[in-house]
């Protein structure tokens, strides 16, 4: 044989192909022909049968993992943002319900961060200027905003079913 084919286009016409180098030892391999599926559906079914079964986590399990990640990142400067980064790099397949639950948990955590920031700002203002007739309204408004943020975070947590 003077020419070695690069690929076999049909197993109907080729049963055994032996390629031997011009110099040195030769290895020979024989591949038995596989049965050919009759239709595209059969091909897809055969491929699907060979794929590993990936078990999807329940949304509640995924929410628990997101909460664990938030707790792990608690000491970071921006725990919700760091956790969001970690989740975006997670390559595990997720359902839309799991993605929504994770988004709600992270948004609730970020809302709590904003509430803590509002509390700290009000406390610093109170420490610097005291409470008197002119500062009472401002401090009351800041406290009201913090409470709104806390209620919003609680509602977001309720939507995750936790």
């Amino acid at each position: 044989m003077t020419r070695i084919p690069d690929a076999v286009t049909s197993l109907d016409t080729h049963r055994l192909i032996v390629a031997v180098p011009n110099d040195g030892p030769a290895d020979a391999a024989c591949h038995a022909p596989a049965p050919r599926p009759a239709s595209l559906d059969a091909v897809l079914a055969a491929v699907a049968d060979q794929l590993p079964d990936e078990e999807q986590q329940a949304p509640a399990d995924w929410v628990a993992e997101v909460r664990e990640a938030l707790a792990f990142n608690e000491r970071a400067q921006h725990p919700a943002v760091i956790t969001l980064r970690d989740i975006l790099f997670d390559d595990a397949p997720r359902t839309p319900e799991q993605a929504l639950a994770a988004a709600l948990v992270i948004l609730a955590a970020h809302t709590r961060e904003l509430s803590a920031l509002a509390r700290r700002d009000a406390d610093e203002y109170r420490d610097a200027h005291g409470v008197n007739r002119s500062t009472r309204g401002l401090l009351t408004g800041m406290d009201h905003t913090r409470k709104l943020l806390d209620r919003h975070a609680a509602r977001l947590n309720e939507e995750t079913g936790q």
Side-chain angles (χ1 to χ4, degrees):
M1 181 173 185
T2 59
R3 181 176 145 326
I4 298 174
D6 292 334
V8 175
T9 58
S10 171
L11 291 176
D12 292 334
T13 59
H14 297 82
R15 295 289 183 230
L16 175 65
I17 296 179
V18 178
V20 181
N22 291 335
D23 296 329
D27 290 334
C30 176
H31 299 282
R36 291 168 36 143
S39 69
L40 180 59
D41 290 337
V43 170
L44 294 175
V47 169
D49 288 342
Q50 295 178 9
L51 293 176
D53 291 333
E54 291 189 29
E55 295 184 21
Q56 294 280 336
Q57 282 182 310
D61 294 343
W62 177 233
V63 168
E65 283 188 21
V66 172
R67 290 185 193 283
E68 288 173 12
L70 281 166
F72 179 79
N73 294 321
E74 182 178 7
R75 300 266 186 238
Q77 186 174 0
H78 305 288
V81 175
I82 299 296
T83 303
L84 178 61
R85 179 208 58 199
D86 295 344
I87 289 172
L88 290 174
F89 277 120
D90 183 8
D91 61 352
R94 304 287 180 208
T95 65
E97 292 82 17
Q98 290 171 319
L100 178 60
L104 289 169
V105 168
I106 292 172
L107 186 57
H110 183 64
T111 304
R112 284 190 300 275
E113 288 176 25
L114 294 175
S115 174
L117 181 63
R119 178 185 301 273
R120 187 173 60 233
D121 189 43
D123 290 346
E124 288 173 1
Y125 191 85
R126 183 178 297 114
D127 291 345
H129 303 285
V131 179
N132 55 43
R133 283 181 75 176
S134 61
T135 61
R136 186 178 313 273
L138 175 64
L139 292 170
T140 301
M142 294 171 93
D143 190 51
H144 178 71
T145 300
R146 182 194 52 79
K147 288 178 182 177
L148 284 174
L149 290 168
D150 287 338
R151 283 195 301 267
H152 184 62
R155 279 193 304 269
L156 291 170
N157 276 332
E158 289 171 6
E159 289 184 44
T160 65
Q162 306 248 333

